[in-house]
Amino acid sequence: MPKFFIKTYGCQMNERDSEQVAHSLAALGYERVGHESEADVVLLNTCSVRDMADQKALGKMGMLGQLAKERPHMVFGFLGCMAQARGASLLKNLPYVDLVVGTQKFHHVADYVDELVARKKNRISENVERPTPINREQAPNAQRPIENRMDDLRFSIVDIEEEAGSQSTIRDQQLMPRQATAFVSIMQGCNMHCTFCIVPQTRGAERSRSIGEIVAEVRDLVSRGVKEVTLLGQIVNLYGRHEFPKVDNKSPFVQLLESVHEVEGLERLRFTSPHPIGFRDDLIDAISRLPKLVEHVHLPLQSGSNKILKAMHRAYTAEKYADLVRRIRRARHGIAITTDIIVGFPGETEEDYKQTRDLVEEIEFDNAFVFRYSPRRDTPAAEMTDQIDEHLKEERNQDLLEVVNKSNRRILERLVGSQVEVLCEGPSKTNRARLMGRTRTNKIVVFPPSPKRRPTGETEELVGELVNVRIERANGFSLYGMPLLE
Ligand code: SF4
């Protein structure tokens, strides 16, 4: 059977979508491989959140041109956000691209690939030449449903239309042996329209799966050995707000957390990413009373300046955000707070930046992703006239990273000498002779792979297990320790 390689750019939602595509291809008998050179089908699941992400995927596909020349039977495809935003125009400069599939159509990818593989095989066996790129540029067919294209000679398939119910199609995944963590997609899209963000265009309006469907997926994962799930959504805490009612003053998201929490055998429950808007008392209460919810919240701040928050269309103030952090910290002792921050948003003065810096120092985040603002076409912020000089963005970026790194180091140092629970994920990426896992606060811990001793004298690998580790030192962004084995 043909072999496929799938490369994912961007966020965890994209990772999850790629796993769904991989599952569907494997169900048709396709074999997954780790490098494009071994593959018959190469799929790039793209990100559009920054221009750089677009350029990376386009550059990668450009480099695959040589492979396309040498191996005409191969199938090449763009999936995901950039595919959604650019559609058939992606075929213009990359004539060997066969497939462009948007964010609501991942569940059709395997069938499209299978059709393309078969058609190429037939054409090669008939010794018919490929259509020229000029044929492909006549894109109108590309937007029609696939059935209408079955009879023509065009190889390319473009499908970027909306599809009702597509949020419920990201529901299957293959697990690696001893895989203990998994992502579960609970909703798609976003209605918030932050002025810097293209997600509402690429992912569409908010649509949520039902609680029953999500719980069934979690149960299945747990029955296959998963101990920790992360519920995924662009604005995860606003899950279900258009579809499901509040019950006993609890939002649909809190109802979902309670239902997933009841799944027997599940040890840890995470969610990402919430929006400060809609992070209400019922959710804070859930953090204080649901023990499987881990001690970590990733809460995007974006800016500490109220003027910039307003320009970003983030409907909260720096003061409200700081108060929310205080309430979350009161709800659960030792909870880690991480964040996303954009520096150099249009119109950001020294004073605005200073307000962000001061707030970051005051809150003392466990960690933060700091981004230089990068204009994203088709977003309001890209049209703003007061864009910031790149050097200044870089200066602010470096300066803020220093503040974040200092608080990260301080927090890690405090853990030296303590005992933490780690869910072991597998070999460390930098030293495969060691194991790595994460604490409930999402800190990476590296430790040696001593076998776990059982009363019977048998040993068992630690991968996929919860292990208590005594922390001996902190270095960079990781902790190092020794497993405490009975
Ligand atoms: S909340 Fe804002 S930043 Fe997040 S996905 Fe929605 S529009 Fe984009």
Side-chain angles (χ1 to χ4, degrees):
M1 284 305 288
K3 297 179 172 145
F4 70 96
F5 170 69
I6 181 161
K7 183 169 175 63
T8 309
Y9 297 85
C11 65
Q12 288 153 328
M13 300 222 29
N14 282 15
E15 294 285 351
R16 180 65 195 91
D17 296 337
S18 291
E19 287 313 306
Q20 178 66 47
V21 171
H23 174 89
S24 316
L25 282 164
L28 292 183
Y30 284 62
E31 186 190 335
R32 190 173 190 167
V33 292
H35 196 267
E36 65 254 23
S37 59
E38 304 162 55
D40 305 293
V41 178
V42 177
L43 301 172
L44 304 185
N45 191 9
T46 59
C47 167
S48 228
V49 79
R50 271 174 292 281
D51 196 44
M52 179 68 91
D54 271 22
Q55 294 313 322
K56 268 191 192 167
L58 289 169
K60 178 74 184 174
M61 192 59 92
M63 287 192 309
L64 293 171
Q66 189 56 32
L67 216 50
K69 264 190 214 148
E70 290 164 9
R71 302 172 66 194
H73 76 283
M74 281 183 75
V75 167
F76 296 90
F78 281 117
L79 315 178
C81 290
M82 187 181 72
Q84 184 72 43
R86 297 192 181 219
S89 70
L90 284 167
L91 305 176
K92 274 191 191 151
N93 297 326
L94 297 162
Y96 46 91
V97 172
D98 307 285
L99 187 61
V100 178
V101 178
T103 54
Q104 301 196 25
K105 300 289 187 170
F106 287 110
H107 53 299
H108 293 303
V109 170
D111 288 339
Y112 290 164
V113 164
D114 208 37
E115 182 200 337
L116 288 161
V117 166
R119 294 178 88 191
K120 284 199 166 185
K121 202 168 148 194
N122 288 342
R123 289 185 67 88
I124 288 167
S125 63
E126 289 163 9
N127 204 14
V128 178
E129 294 221 333
R130 285 172 59 109
T132 64
I134 290 165
N135 278 346
R136 289 160 177 270
E137 284 180 25
Q138 298 163 355
N141 266 359
Q143 299 293 336
R144 287 169 24 209
I146 188 164
E147 308 82 76
N148 297 340
R149 291 194 301 266
M150 296 292 276
D151 297 330
D152 66 26
L153 290 177
R154 188 186 307 282
F155 273 58
S156 314
I157 295 175
V158 178
D159 191 355
I160 57 169
E161 291 181 7
E162 289 182 11
E163 184 171 323
S166 62
Q167 71 274 20
S168 296
T169 60
I170 307 297
R171 60 181 178 214
D172 309 300
Q173 52 190 311
Q174 290 181 298
L175 298 177
M176 304 292 286
R178 306 184 76 91
Q179 183 176 331
T181 63
F183 294 120
V184 173
S185 173
I186 66 167
M187 65 186 295
Q188 293 282 334
C190 179
N191 292 6
M192 297 302 273
H193 295 282
C194 300
T195 54
F196 54 82
C197 182
I198 198 165
V199 164
Q201 281 104 295
T202 57
R203 292 258 170 194
E206 290 164 37
R207 293 107 56 211
S208 298
R209 300 172 70 191
S210 70
I211 290 181
E213 262 180 47
I214 297 165
V215 170
E217 183 177 339
V218 173
R219 266 208 200 98
D220 174 61
L221 290 167
V222 170
S223 74
R224 291 152 68 198
V226 166
K227 293 192 169 69
E228 172 186 302
V229 296
T230 303
L231 305 180
L232 288 181
Q234 299 289 351
I235 39 173
V236 76
N237 53 323
L238 296 175
Y239 160 85
R241 64 173 167 159
H242 304 295
E243 293 95 343
F244 313 120
K246 279 189 170 181
V247 174
D248 296 336
N249 225 14
K250 289 177 198 160
S251 66
F253 183 59
V254 170
Q255 296 167 44
L256 173 67
L257 289 178
E258 288 177 343
S259 300
V260 173
H261 194 269
E262 277 175 22
V263 173
E264 216 170 299
L266 180 72
E267 303 274 358
R268 291 177 172 189
L269 178 55
R270 299 184 186 275
F271 57 83
T272 197
S273 288
H275 195 297
I277 293 296
F279 209 116
R280 302 220 168 83
D281 285 347
D282 60 333
L283 180 50
I284 293 177
D285 178 55
I287 289 173
S288 70
R289 69 187 162 79
L290 298 179
K292 290 180 186 175
L293 265 181
V294 294
E295 291 80 19
H296 175 221
V297 174
H298 182 76
L299 188 65
L301 165 65
Q302 307 303 7
S303 174
S305 151
N306 290 339
K307 181 191 98 188
I308 297 296
L309 285 171
K310 196 167 176 204
M312 288 175 164
H313 200 197
R314 306 281 295 181
Y316 52 87
T317 60
E319 294 75 18
K320 283 234 162 89
Y321 181 95
D323 182 55
L324 177 55
V325 169
R326 271 192 290 276
R327 288 187 293 135
I328 294 171
R329 282 178 168 160
R330 268 204 303 270
R332 183 75 76 89
H333 175 71
I335 197 164
I337 310 276
T338 55
T339 196
D340 298 327
I341 300 164
I342 296 173
V343 293
F345 187 80
E348 185 188 71
T349 60
E350 272 307 315
E351 178 53 28
D352 294 319
Y353 172 66
K354 187 173 173 307
Q355 287 171 8
T356 300
R357 191 184 200 281
D358 289 350
L359 188 59
V360 170
E361 278 194 320
E362 177 196 323
I363 288 179
E364 205 184 37
F365 289 104
D366 287 67
N367 210 343
F369 295 105
V370 180
F371 303 98
R372 271 174 293 148
Y373 170 73
S374 132
R376 187 62 279 193
R377 72 194 169 104
D378 301 329
T379 60
E383 305 302 317
M384 292 177 182
T385 49
D386 38 7
Q387 301 287 330
I388 303 294
D389 177 81
E390 287 301 324
H391 292 297
L392 196 51
K393 286 185 198 170
E394 180 58 22
E395 256 175 43
R396 290 175 184 173
N397 189 358
Q398 291 308 325
D399 180 58
L400 198 58
L401 273 177
E402 244 176 67
V403 177
V404 169
N405 291 346
K406 264 190 207 153
S407 68
N408 176 264
R409 272 198 298 274
R410 268 197 305 271
I411 290 166
L412 291 184
E413 287 294 344
R414 276 182 218 144
L415 288 168
V416 174
S418 68
Q419 183 180 321
V420 292
E421 179 202 275
V422 176
L423 181 52
C424 179
E425 293 178 17
S428 153
K429 281 191 185 121
T430 50
N431 178 354
R432 297 196 68 79
R434 290 178 167 259
L435 292 170
M436 66 76 63
R438 282 169 203 271
T439 64
R440 291 172 59 93
T441 54
N442 211 32
K443 311 266 184 300
I444 292 173
V445 180
V446 179
F447 55 98
S450 337
K452 184 172 179 179
R453 298 207 178 281
R454 295 265 150 174
T456 56
E458 290 169 18
T459 60
E460 181 181 289
E461 288 220 31
L462 300 182
V463 178
E465 297 284 320
L466 288 167
V467 190
N468 286 321
V469 177
R470 177 164 304 282
I471 301 302
E472 295 179 335
R473 67 191 168 92
N475 194 359
F477 295 100
S478 301
L479 294 163
Y480 295 83
M482 286 300 285
L484 299 169
L485 305 172
E486 304 113 41

